[in-house]
Amino acid sequence: MSVVTNTTTIGAIEAPSRRNTELGLLAFAVVIPVFAYLNVGLALDGEVPTGMLGYGLGLGLLAGVAHLAVRKFAPYADPLLLPLATLLNGLGLVLIWRLDQSPRLIRRAEALFGSYSPDAPKQLLYSAIAIALFVAVLVILKDHRILQRYTYISMAVALVLLILPMFFPAVNGAKIWISIGGFTIQPGEFAKIIIAVFFSGYLMVKRDALALASRRFMGLYLPRGRDLGPILAIWAMSILILVFETDLGTSLLFFGLFVIMLYVATERTSWIVFGLLMSVAGAVGVASFEPHVQSRVNAWLDPFSCYQTDPTGACQQIGDALLSFGSGGTLGTGLGQGNSDLIGFAANADFILTTVGEEFGLAGTMAFLLIYGLIVERGVRTALAARDPFGKLLAIGLSGAFAIQVFVVAGGVMGLIPLTGMTMPFVAYGGSSVLANWALIGILIRISDTARRPAPAPAPSPDAEMTQVVRP
């Protein structure tokens, strides 16, 4: 009789990295904006634009650097996030360059400032810096759970960023900018990421207490009175931002983000109801005495009634935006053949979606919104796949902040809600916006890499050694 000992080892479950899929999608994300660039040049001058080769090589180089960073430092990350962000960024550069060619905007700038400086080259530079920040996030942030250590530090930093614009002059009626060394920065764009970090760490610890209900009223489980403190404090902070900075967009983003994360952490519908009621009450209260907010509300209710009389220009901008969407129809006028530049210098920033609506039409606008929706969906999928509660809350918080920003910008331009001072992520002109949103994508990619990474192989147990008796 012989004894044979077999030792079995259970290996880690292999998972595809999907980096080649990402590379293929990135190729399309670069080719589509280059083709759009060519289309604009042919529509405006009937010639191939001279800068098309440089634009294509520049965008391709940025996409390649980002892809190599993901392949090296986050090999198991979601393969769609980077191509979707690259596509939006590339199309945004094309739209900004298209508006740079507008004779009306050039004449207006020369009349006001004496010279005209195109914005597309500056946006390309901002995009290059944003990709460098994206790579830095992947290199430095080895594990997203490290951010949990800085829960209350992030709260302090976020408050500083939200309060800083209060001490700088208002721009177009709202205090959302700060000036440092000749550069203007919009702190609210970065604050949304830092606030999400704070909310994730705070709610992970307090979610059990916040989920407790004291009584039931009209089918809703009401939270305990002692647990209303956090939401009341956040509500008060958002109202203060709205009052002292007249920044409706950041106020909505700040409070809406907290309510979304609170609902996800506690699974209590009552928090959503309370949040909506408090946001409506706060907005109505501030609109009753704040002139800037009143003008935005009046422009939203009936922009054409005050088209010629509103000194702030809000009615004229909203009216021109609605006319642009209407003239675009279903399929649009074609790239380079619209008149959205009549809106003025805000056409490539707050109102860049009107250029999309006029020149791409309803179909193109829905395609843009679908791309944004896909980014949010991949962020939510990352939250579902995350293995730790902090990662789940952080991914859903970042996705929620991104979704709220798209909603308030698109809703304001389309006349669904009052206009805000926020910009369309990746597409609109602005260094702060493109930097913050590329950092947001970097953090989501880091979380998805951790969530999709194969689990390490378990240590062999004594049961793994099996003794088999072989009879002669």
Side-chain angles (χ1 to χ4, degrees):
M1 181 179 66
S2 62
V3 178
V4 181
T5 302
N6 296 328
T7 302
T8 61
T9 303
I10 302 175
I13 300 175
E14 292 295 332
S17 66
R18 307 296 296 276
R19 299 280 65 82
N20 292 333
T21 302
E22 179 184 85
L23 182 60
L25 293 174
L26 271 177
F28 280 103
V30 173
V31 169
I32 292 174
V34 171
F35 179 76
Y37 193 99
L38 172 64
N39 199 349
V40 172
L42 293 176
L44 293 176
D45 304 320
E47 300 178 355
V48 176
T50 56
M52 190 182 74
L53 180 60
Y55 169 74
L57 291 176
L59 183 61
L61 178 62
L62 294 179
V65 169
H67 170 72
L68 291 176
V70 174
R71 184 179 285 271
K72 173 67 176 179
F73 300 104
Y76 295 97
D78 189 290
L80 288 181
L81 284 171
L82 179 59
L84 291 171
T86 302
L87 177 59
L88 287 173
N89 201 162
L91 290 174
L93 287 167
V94 173
L95 293 172
I96 294 170
W97 180 77
R98 175 262 175 276
L99 291 169
D100 282 343
Q101 313 308 308
S102 167
R104 279 187 287 254
L105 288 181
I106 294 175
R107 288 194 299 267
R108 188 178 302 177
E110 290 176 346
L112 292 175
F113 310 112
S115 62
Y116 177 70
S117 176
D119 291 326
K122 291 182 284 187
Q123 184 72 358
L124 183 59
L125 176 61
Y126 295 147
S127 300
I129 299 173
I131 293 296
L133 178 61
F134 169 83
V135 174
V137 169
L138 295 181
V139 173
I140 297 173
L141 189 63
K142 303 292 185 182
D143 190 337
H144 65 273
R145 289 169 290 189
I146 297 175
L147 297 174
Q148 186 180 348
R149 304 174 187 173
Y150 307 101
T151 297
Y152 292 99
I153 294 178
S154 62
M155 177 191 68
V157 173
L159 290 177
V160 170
L161 290 176
L162 291 173
I163 294 173
L164 270 179
M166 193 181 305
F167 303 100
F168 288 84
V171 178
N172 296 326
K175 295 183 177 182
I176 60 177
W177 300 92
I178 62 174
S179 298
I180 301 177
F183 294 94
T184 55
I185 302 173
Q186 193 171 357
E189 292 285 350
F190 300 96
K192 67 184 179 185
I193 300 176
I194 302 174
I195 288 172
V197 173
F198 163 66
F199 286 162
S200 301
Y202 175 80
L203 292 175
M204 192 189 72
V205 177
K206 302 292 185 180
R207 59 179 179 175
D208 292 335
L210 293 170
L212 294 177
S214 60
R215 63 182 62 86
R216 187 172 181 176
F217 177 73
M218 297 181 64
L220 294 176
Y221 289 98
L222 301 179
R224 299 181 305 177
R226 74 184 76 170
D227 298 325
L228 286 174
I231 195 170
L232 291 175
I234 299 299
W235 177 77
M237 178 60 68
S238 65
I239 295 300
L240 289 176
I241 293 172
L242 186 56
V243 170
F244 291 103
E245 300 180 7
T246 60
D247 185 5
L248 181 60
T250 302
S251 178
L252 289 173
L253 177 63
F254 183 38
F255 188 68
L257 174 61
F258 181 68
V259 172
I260 289 175
M261 297 183 69
L262 189 58
Y263 170 72
V264 171
T266 63
E267 299 181 5
R268 291 293 185 188
T269 310
S270 55
W271 288 115
I272 294 289
V273 176
F274 279 123
L276 291 175
L277 291 176
M278 294 176 71
S279 62
V280 171
V284 171
V286 174
S288 63
F289 66 86
E290 177 57 49
H292 179 73
V293 179
Q294 286 178 349
S295 65
R296 291 291 177 94
V297 173
N298 292 334
W300 166 57
L301 293 174
D302 191 357
F304 297 105
S305 64
C306 56
Y307 190 87
Q308 299 292 342
T309 59
D310 182 20
T312 65
C315 291
Q316 184 174 357
Q317 286 182 326
I318 291 294
D320 290 340
L322 295 178
L323 292 174
S324 294
F325 280 113
S327 62
T330 304
L331 299 178
T333 60
L335 269 172
Q337 302 180 44
N339 295 291
S340 60
D341 55 330
L342 289 170
I343 296 174
F345 298 117
N348 66 359
D350 300 2
F351 287 88
I352 198 166
L353 194 63
T354 61
T355 303
V356 175
E358 183 172 6
E359 301 189 358
F360 286 91
L362 176 63
T365 304
M366 295 302 297
F368 268 78
L369 295 179
L370 180 61
I371 296 173
Y372 283 115
L374 284 173
I375 292 178
V376 175
E377 186 271 337
R378 302 313 293 186
V380 173
R381 183 182 289 269
T382 297
L384 293 174
R387 300 166 186 168
D388 61 294
F390 177 78
K392 289 181 179 293
L393 286 172
L394 183 56
I396 202 67
L398 295 175
S399 304
F402 191 86
I404 292 173
Q405 183 166 350
V406 172
F407 170 75
V408 298
V409 175
V413 172
M414 295 178 181
L416 181 63
I417 62 174
L419 186 67
T420 66
M422 305 187 75
T423 55
M424 208 68 176
F426 295 114
V427 177
Y429 172 72
S432 300
S433 178
V434 71
L435 283 169
N437 285 294
W438 271 112
L440 183 149
I441 294 294
I443 297 174
L444 282 179
I445 285 180
R446 169 55 65 209
I447 298 173
S448 68
D449 174 68
T450 304
R452 294 160 58 91
R453 186 178 295 273
S461 64
D463 295 337
E465 296 185 358
M466 299 177 295
T467 302
Q468 181 179 1
V469 179
V470 180
R471 298 182 181 280

